[in-house]
Every structure is written in C-alpha cells, then in structure tokens.
Amino acid sequence: MSAARTTSTPAALTPPAPWTVGPVTRTDFVRYQGASGDMNPIHHDEEFARAAGFDAPFAVGMYQAGLLGTYATEWLGAENVRSFRIRFLEQVWPGDTLTATAEVVREYTADDGAARVDIELVCTRQTGGAAVKAWATFVVPDGGAGS
C-alpha cells in the first residue's frame, strides 16, 4: 500500500536562492562542537588531526548538515519537517566557503490529505565538491512556502 499519491496540487514550490556561508573557521567548528557535545579532537586539535593523517582539523559533518537543516526550515518551517536524512561526502576545512541549495523532487498530497514536498539539499564547497547531501519531506505550509 502506498503512503502517498502524486497529484497535480499543491501549487509548485520554488526553492530559495542559494545560501553561502563562510569562509568557515576553526572557531566555527569549535562553537558547533561545544553546542553539540561532540568534542572529538580531530575537529580542533592540529597535532591530533595530523597524527590521524589529516593536514589539519576539519569540520564535524553535522555542522554542514545543520546548515542544510537551517536553510530548509527557514524556507518551509521547522514545524513542518516530517523526515530528514543526510549523507556525508567530503570533509570541510577551515577557509572553505559553503553554499546550500535545494531542489524540489516531488510535490504530492499524502494519505492524510496534507500537501507534502520532498526536497533534495546539497552543501557544496567552493571547489564544487558536495560536502553533504540531504533529503527531506515537509508538510507544505498553508499558503505555500514563506507564509
């Protein structure tokens, strides 16, 4: 049994303009670590990172995922999130500039009658490489996004 059906409604949603953050700093990484409680030294200790085979400390992947979550919820509303999954793809280094983008994958009416949208989000480094991808489902806010 299908959990949802595709329909011609609701009206098409338009993703927001890309959101650029950075250049990111080691201080940004440490602030995120403090807030999240993930104090793995590989993300802030130069000597530890080098001993592990890296050139420098790098961002906690959830930092970039959090940027994508913020970007999506500022568009569609945190109260409307129904699912959110992520995939880490590349490390982010101090000095990187990150850009969040979104694409509407599917708009449909769920079995409960609520308008839903599936979106794909990408956090890209200035090199063009994707650091994190995310896929999310939102209830479409009354009146569409941004209402």
Side-chain angles (χ1 to χ4, degrees):
M1 180 173 158
S2 173
R5 61 185 184 279
T6 301
T7 68
S8 60
T9 58
L13 293 172
T14 302
W19 179 37
T20 300
V21 175
V24 296
T25 66
R26 193 178 303 185
T27 300
D28 295 326
F29 304 163
V30 171
R31 285 181 175 155
Y32 181 84
Q33 286 191 279
S36 71
D38 175 357
M39 295 306 294
N40 184 332
I42 204 162
H43 300 296
H44 62 266
D45 185 308
E46 187 86 22
E47 187 174 317
F48 189 93
R50 288 184 186 273
F54 297 99
D55 292 338
F58 53 92
V60 177
M62 287 303 293
Y63 174 78
Q64 296 83 255
L67 293 176
L68 289 179
T70 298
Y71 176 68
T73 56
E74 286 185 359
W75 171 29
L76 296 164
E79 69 280 8
N80 296 314
V81 176
R82 294 300 177 266
S83 69
F84 194 89
R85 61 189 172 95
I86 59 174
R87 179 175 297 157
F88 303 116
L89 299 169
E90 283 188 13
Q91 290 155 328
V92 169
W93 306 96
D96 279 355
T97 297
L98 306 174
T99 301
T101 57
E103 177 182 335
V104 173
V105 175
R106 182 171 74 131
E107 295 179 60
Y108 56 99
T109 301
D111 287 341
D112 65 1
R116 301 255 170 110
V117 61
D118 295 338
I119 61 173
E120 181 175 294
L121 303 151
V122 182
C123 178
T124 307
R125 298 175 57 227
Q126 76 284 350
T127 60
V132 174
K133 282 189 174 182
W135 299 266
T137 298
F138 284 77
V139 170
V140 177
D142 289 338
S147 61

